[in-house]
Amino acid sequence: MTSNHALTARDAANELGISLPTLYAYVSRGLIHSEPGPEGSRQRRYRHADVLALKDRQAQRRDPAHSVETALDWGTPVLESAITLIEGNRLYYRGHDAIRLARTHQFESVIEILWSDKLVSVNGGPSERHPYERPQALVALGPLERFQAVLPLLASADPAAYDLRPPALSRAGRSILMAMVEELGGDATTGSIAHSLAARWASEKDYAERLIDAALIVSADHELNSSSFTVRCVASVGAPLYDAIDAGICALRGVRHGAASQRVEALLAEVDTPERAPAVLEARLRRGERIPGFGHQLYPGGDPRGAVLIDLCHELAPDDQALMLTDATAAAAEALIGDRPNVDFGLVIVARTLGLDRGSALSLMALGRSAGWVAHALEQYQQNRMIRPRAKYIGPAPIRSVEMEQDAE
C-alpha cells in the first residue's frame, strides 16, 4: 500500500497501534486529516501519508539517536526557517500559496515575498547590477557554467561584497539575478525578467511571458533541498553572497537535483512519438532503470508544481503539438508506476511548449531557485550561527602505540 491511499479508521488505528478514540483525538488535534468515504458510506477515511508521518514521529521519540542519523535523508528538520512550508501536498512561500502565485503574479513579486516577507505588486522594470567586463570566452560555455564564471566578476566589481547586512545583500542579490538574465540572452534593463526572456526566446508566442513567470515562481524555493542547504552552509561561515550562490549552482547541477530535468529531456527524446510512450517506459522498467520526472517524496498526492505548469501549458497553448508527446508519456508513467509528473517534468514541458533548446528547463530552475538561495542566505546571515554538524564515526578503532599505553599508565 502506498502513501497515496486513504485508510479506514480501523486500519489507521492498527497501523499506529492505537485505539479508535486515540485516533479520533489525533484527528481533532490536526495530526491526521480525514476525508469523506466512498459515496453512500458514512465512514470517513484517513490519509495514509499522515499516518506514516505520525508513525515516523513516534519512532523518533522512541529512538532519538536514529532520528539524528536519518535527519539528513528526508528526516527530522535540522534547522528553523520562516521561508517555505510544504504541508498537505501544498507549497507555501511565507504563508502564501506558491501555486496560486504562479497563476496570478510576476516572479518579481515572489522575490519580494522571499526576501522581505511582503506581497506587493511589482511590474518588473529596470534593475541595476554591478558593472563587470565579460570575457568573450564565456560564449563557449553552457548557461550554468556562465553563471558561475560571472559570479566572481560581480563580486570583484562590488565594493560591498563583504557587507552582510540585509540592504547590501538585497542589492547584491538583484545584481546576481540581472547578470543571470543577461547570460540567458535577456535585456535586464527594461521590463520584467519573464518579459525580457520571452522577448528573446519566444517573441512570437503571446503566452511565453506567463509560462516563464510561472516556471520561475514554482522553482523559486523548496525548503532545505540540497542546493539551498549548501547555500546556507556557505553563508553560515561568513562567506560573501556571491560564493554562496556559486555553491548552490554546483549542487543544482547534480543529476539527483536540478539536472534531473536533463534526464526527462532524454526520456522524451527516446519516446519520440506519443504511440511509443508505453513501450519505451516498460522497456526502462525491464532494464531496472527508473523513469525520471515522476513522483516526489514530499508530495504523496502528486507534485503541485508539475501539475500547475502542465495545466498552464494546456490552458495557454492547447493546440501545441509538443503536449501530445508529454501527455502520452505522463499517462503511460501513471499507468505503470502510479506516479504523477513532478516539477522537473513540468519545466521540460514548459520549455518544449515554448520551443526552447534542451537544457533550458535547468536554466529556468537555476534562475528561479537563485531567488530562494538569496532568501536562505539572508536568513542564515541574520542567525549568525555556523552550521557544523558532527559525524558518527564508523571507521576502524584508534591504533594505540606502546608509548601511548605507557603514557596512560
Side-chain angles (χ1 to χ4, degrees):
M1 182 180 294
T2 69
S3 57
N4 291 352
H5 288 74
L7 306 177
T8 65
R10 178 59 64 188
D11 288 341
N14 288 342
E15 181 148 358
L16 289 167
I18 59 176
S19 65
L20 288 176
T22 302
L23 174 69
Y24 302 144
Y26 286 163
V27 173
S28 67
R29 290 160 55 191
L31 298 176
I32 297 175
H33 293 85
S34 68
E35 55 194 38
E39 187 174 351
S41 171
R42 299 180 60 184
Q43 294 183 342
R44 297 185 68 80
R45 294 292 185 266
Y46 302 84
R47 294 182 187 174
H48 195 205
D50 292 346
V51 171
L52 292 177
L54 184 56
K55 191 175 180 180
D56 186 52
R57 288 197 294 272
Q58 290 174 337
Q60 291 167 8
R61 286 195 293 270
R62 289 192 298 269
D63 187 1
H66 178 71
S67 173
V68 172
E69 291 175 10
T70 59
L72 296 182
D73 185 21
W74 305 91
T76 306
V78 297
L79 56 79
E80 294 182 344
S81 175
I83 300 171
T84 296
L85 171 67
I86 301 170
E87 182 179 77
N89 225 82
R90 302 295 290 183
L91 173 67
Y92 302 91
Y93 297 152
R94 298 193 187 275
H96 299 276
D97 189 319
I99 306 308
R100 184 172 299 172
L101 291 171
R103 285 186 165 278
T104 59
H105 284 70
Q106 288 185 315
F107 181 46
E108 282 79 0
S109 295
V110 172
I111 292 174
E112 294 299 322
I113 293 174
L114 294 173
W115 295 6
S116 64
D117 196 14
K118 297 177 181 177
L119 177 55
V120 295
S121 179
V122 179
N123 295 318
S127 295
E128 295 183 2
R129 66 159 174 78
H130 299 291
Y132 63 93
E133 188 164 342
R134 184 178 185 273
Q136 187 62 32
L138 290 189
V139 298
L141 302 177
L144 268 64
E145 289 86 353
R146 293 201 300 273
F147 294 166
Q148 290 181 289
V150 161
L151 285 167
L153 301 177
L154 282 173
S156 64
D158 181 4
Y162 283 84
D163 185 350
L164 304 183
R165 293 173 296 176
L169 291 169
S170 294
R171 288 194 297 272
R174 295 184 193 283
S175 183
I176 289 170
L177 288 176
M178 291 305 101
M180 293 174 81
V181 170
E182 291 175 5
E183 293 304 325
L184 291 176
D187 180 359
T189 62
T190 59
S192 70
I193 289 175
H195 176 80
S196 172
L197 294 178
R200 171 64 176 172
W201 289 351
S203 59
E204 74 286 359
K205 299 184 177 182
D206 57 5
Y207 52 81
E209 183 175 341
R210 179 67 258 148
L211 281 183
I212 292 172
D213 259 326
L216 294 175
I217 288 171
V218 300
S219 300
D221 195 50
H222 205 234
E223 198 212 62
L224 279 188
N225 53 82
S226 297
S227 59
S228 296
F229 187 65
T230 299
V231 167
R232 294 189 78 116
C233 288
V234 175
S236 77
V237 297
L241 179 65
Y242 301 96
D243 291 347
I245 302 303
D246 190 4
I249 295 175
C250 287
L252 189 74
R253 291 174 63 181
V255 294
R256 294 181 180 177
H257 194 10
S261 62
Q262 295 177 325
R263 290 183 170 183
V264 176
E265 292 170 338
L267 171 66
L268 293 176
E270 183 183 357
V271 171
D272 190 41
T273 63
E275 297 76 19
R276 283 172 42 84
V280 169
L281 269 57
E282 289 171 13
R284 284 196 168 221
L285 291 180
R286 284 196 299 271
R287 296 193 299 264
E289 301 174 11
R290 67 180 299 271
I291 299 175
F294 295 90
H296 196 290
Q297 192 159 342
L298 295 179
Y299 299 109
D303 189 339
R305 301 169 300 168
V308 72
L309 293 180
I310 294 170
D311 289 346
L312 283 171
C313 286
H314 279 282
E315 293 167 18
L316 298 173
D319 300 324
D320 195 288
Q321 294 297 307
L323 295 176
M324 296 177 63
L325 176 65
T326 53
D327 285 352
T329 304
E334 186 165 5
L336 278 172
I337 60 176
D339 287 333
R340 299 172 185 171
N342 59 29
V343 69
D344 300 312
F345 195 87
L347 288 170
V348 171
I349 289 183
V350 167
R352 291 177 69 93
T353 302
L354 294 177
L356 306 183
D357 295 335
R358 288 178 65 166
S360 298
L362 179 56
S363 297
L364 284 169
M365 168 67 84
L367 178 57
R369 188 58 54 88
S370 293
W373 290 337
V374 173
H376 280 281
L378 280 162
E379 191 173 63
Q380 192 62 49
Y381 287 129
Q382 291 173 331
Q383 290 180 1
N384 195 28
R385 184 176 62 187
M386 187 173 71
I387 297 174
R388 204 299 189 189
R390 294 295 310 278
K392 181 180 180 181
Y393 180 69
I394 58 171
I399 301 173
R400 299 179 66 84
S401 66
V402 175
E403 292 80 4
M404 293 174 63
E405 295 290 349
Q406 291 173 346
D407 291 342
E409 294 176 359

